[in-house]
Amino acid sequence: MVSIEVETFPGLIARGERLFAYVSGGYWRDLGLPEDYLQAHFDALEGKIGGGFAQPLIGEGCRIDAGASVGRMAVLGSGSTVASGASVDRSVLHEAASVGEGAVVEASVLGSQAQVGAGAIVRDSLLAARAGVAPGTQVDGARIRPGEVAS
């Protein structure tokens, strides 16, 4: 992790480098926190970045089973799956992430190939690539590292 305002800019100044600024009316958001990362996606879906996207945004090759619910503020990366009875809202699922039958995912980010087991509940959480939540497990505010499984 790097803090531009605490590390990068002061380091450049200490070395005598020249810094310049540009005033822009364009969209800018610091994505250093998962909440900010999610909000940037919501802003894009709502057209605040320009143009707007389909709501929800569903990547190629996704599978959403009958009876599954995907809210309008959701982004599903290519090859993601949402099983029957599962619910995904206000969340971003990266490529090939999966949500098991009857599971709930809200206000969370699932990394590439992350897996949420059947009946699990995931809220305000961040699952890294290949991380998982075991069936029937509930996590709230969790940060699950690559390859780990919360149970």
Side-chain angles (χ1 to χ4, degrees), residues 17-88:
E17 301 284 341
R18 293 176 50 168
L19 296 179
F20 299 90
Y22 174 77
V23 178
S24 170
Y27 181 89
W28 188 90
R29 174 178 286 277
D30 184 343
L31 301 179
L33 298 173
E35 298 82 16
D36 295 323
Y37 178 78
L38 281 173
Q39 189 59 52
H41 282 81
F42 303 154
D43 289 348
L45 290 170
E46 292 175 335
K48 294 179 181 177
I49 294 178
F53 297 90
Q55 296 178 359
L57 183 58
I58 309 294
E60 289 185 30
C62 288
R63 189 186 87 223
I64 302 170
D65 290 347
S69 171
V70 177
R72 69 178 191 89
M73 288 293 139
V75 176
L76 275 59
S78 299
S80 294
T81 60
V82 182
S84 178
S87 172
V88 175

Side-chain angles (χ1 to χ4, degrees), residues 88-121:
V88 175
D89 195 25
R90 299 189 56 78
S91 296
V92 174
L93 280 59
H94 286 236
E95 182 179 314
S98 65
V99 179
E101 187 173 324
V104 174
V105 176
E106 295 175 351
S108 296
V109 178
L110 275 58
S112 178
Q113 300 177 23
Q115 297 182 354
V116 174
I121 299 174

Side-chain angles (χ1 to χ4, degrees), residues 2-22 28 30:
V2 173
S3 172
I4 292 172
E5 65 275 11
V6 174
E7 298 173 54
T8 306
F9 292 157
L12 290 169
I13 292 168
R15 291 193 309 271
E17 301 284 341
R18 293 176 50 168
L19 296 179
F20 299 90
Y22 174 77
W28 188 90
D30 184 343

